[in-house]
């Protein structure tokens, strides 16, 4: 008896004859999405469990094996791991949500009549001393206030006015800060990759290879920062001395592991001698810290102005 002829299938998108589950012409999968609820739930649980397995296969080397994940990814081992960009975006969203919940509330003291009187007394005394030397202070000048050099006089005035308005409700500025912080971090990513490209320009690596290291490094920093803040918050909440000591020790260990991890990551990924690695790590860290601090100051100013 002859075997039945194989079923001929065609792509639903471009009608090309299929040789498997995916069309070699347009890439669409031969799969119907019109099904009953049971099929949808089963597929969702299967996709979730598969993503969960990839997540743990990604997180363990990300935490404990510096540079391993980036090196595996650029060598083509991508299927077992969460893609770097998706991992960073997922980490960034979760991290800043947790930061907003875990970090302690910031309180701003509302100016009292005594503090206002003291400020006015200081202004009067300074004005009298300057007048004795033949120097006249501008009208409305306040020596107890510090103008931000990079802002114009108008923006400085708006900044001072916003500070006064936010004194009663600083949570508005804090919420604005955490809403803008993920965007700031995302803008710093390509700059960090550019620094790596410049300092390792003789390594003949493409910019995207440095960007993968930047994505994994920033994911690691955010995740370890969440662990550090969580341990510190938990240490403040417990009352048992031995538990507090253990939590503080673990928090210190996490804090020390972050810069050591980044150093080992550059050493393992770029495979250069320790002398060059230490020098380039110091240069990269110094330049990036300047960028990060500048961005942080700008973010704080914008959070107050836009709150």
């Amino acid at each position: 008896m002859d075997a039945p002829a194989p079923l001929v299938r065609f792509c639903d998108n471009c009608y090309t004859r299929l040789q498997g589950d995916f069309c070699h012409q347009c890439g669409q999968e031969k799969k119907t999405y019109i099904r009953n609820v049971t099929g949808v739930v089963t597929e969702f649980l299967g996709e979730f469990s598969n993503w969960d397995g990839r997540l743990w296969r990604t997180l363990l080397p990300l935490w404990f094996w510096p540079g391993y994940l980036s090196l595996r990814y650029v060598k083509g081992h991508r299927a077992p791991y969460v893609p770097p960009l998706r991992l960073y975006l997922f980490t960034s969203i979760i991290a800043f949500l947790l930061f907003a919940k875990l970090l302690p509330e910031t309180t701003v003291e509302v100016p009292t009549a005594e503090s206002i009187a003291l400020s006015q007394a200081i202004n009067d005394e300074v004005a009298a001393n300057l007048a004795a030397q033949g120097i006249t202070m501008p009208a409305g000048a306040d020596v107890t206030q510090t103008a931000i050099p990079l802002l114009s006089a108008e923006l400085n005035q708006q900044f001072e006015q916003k500070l006064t308005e936010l004194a009663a409700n600083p949570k508005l500025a804090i919420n604005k800060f955490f809403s803008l912080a993920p965007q700031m971090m995302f803008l710093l990513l390509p700059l960090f990759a550019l620094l790596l490209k410049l300092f390792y320009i003789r390594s003949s690596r493409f910019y995207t290879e440095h960007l993968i290291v930047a994505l994994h490094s920033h994911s690691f920093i955010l995740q370890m920062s969440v662990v550090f803040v969580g341990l510190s918050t938990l240490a403040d909440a417990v009352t048992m001395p031995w538990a507090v000591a253990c939590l503080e020790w673990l928090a210190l260990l996490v804090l020390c592991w972050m810069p050591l991890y980044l150093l080992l990551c550059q050493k393992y990924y770029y495979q250069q001698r320790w002398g060059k690695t230490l020098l380039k790590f110091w240069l990269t860290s110094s330049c990036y810290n300047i960028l990060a601090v500048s961005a942080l100051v700008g973010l704080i100013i914008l959070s107050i102005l836009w709150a």
Side-chain angles (χ1 to χ4, degrees), residues 6-7 35 47 50 125 128 142 158 181 185 202 253 293 302:
L7 180 63
R35 68 195 81 174
E47 290 291 334
N50 181 51
E125 182 179 355
D142 188 351
Q158 294 179 12
M185 286 287 293
R202 297 179 62 185
L253 187 64
V293 170
L302 289 178

Side-chain angles (χ1 to χ4, degrees), residues 181-253:
Q183 303 171 41
M184 181 203 73
M185 286 287 293
F186 193 75
L187 291 176
L188 287 175
L189 266 169
L191 295 179
F192 181 67
L194 182 60
L195 288 175
L196 292 175
K197 175 66 176 177
L198 293 176
F199 288 119
Y200 289 94
I201 195 169
R202 297 179 62 185
S203 64
S204 300
R205 292 182 180 272
F206 292 107
Y207 175 78
T208 51
E209 297 182 70
H210 303 288
L211 187 60
I212 290 170
V213 178
L215 288 167
H216 284 146
S217 300
H218 281 68
S219 299
F220 169 80
I221 292 172
L222 286 175
Q223 291 175 20
M224 290 298 105
S225 298
V226 169
V227 174
F228 173 77
V229 172
L231 290 172
S232 301
T233 305
L234 192 58
D236 295 335
V238 300
T239 56
M240 294 173 289
W242 64 268
V244 173
C246 290
L247 290 170
E248 289 179 347
W249 183 83
L250 287 174
L252 180 62
L253 187 64

Side-chain angles (χ1 to χ4, degrees), residues 18-74:
L18 296 177
Q19 301 178 0
D21 293 331
F22 292 87
C23 176
H24 64 275
Q25 185 69 28
C26 68
Q28 179 171 294
E29 184 180 7
K30 182 66 174 179
K31 187 177 185 179
T32 177
Y33 290 89
I34 309 302
R35 68 195 81 174
N36 56 31
V37 176
T38 305
V40 174
V41 172
T42 302
E43 180 183 0
F44 172 77
L45 293 176
E47 290 291 334
F48 180 80
S49 61
N50 181 51
W51 194 84
D52 183 64
R54 292 175 66 191
L55 179 63
W56 284 110
R57 284 195 298 270
T58 303
L59 290 182
L60 291 178
L62 179 69
W63 293 342
F64 303 112
W65 299 335
Y68 173 83
L69 201 60
S70 301
L71 203 57
R72 292 275 293 177
Y73 194 85
V74 299

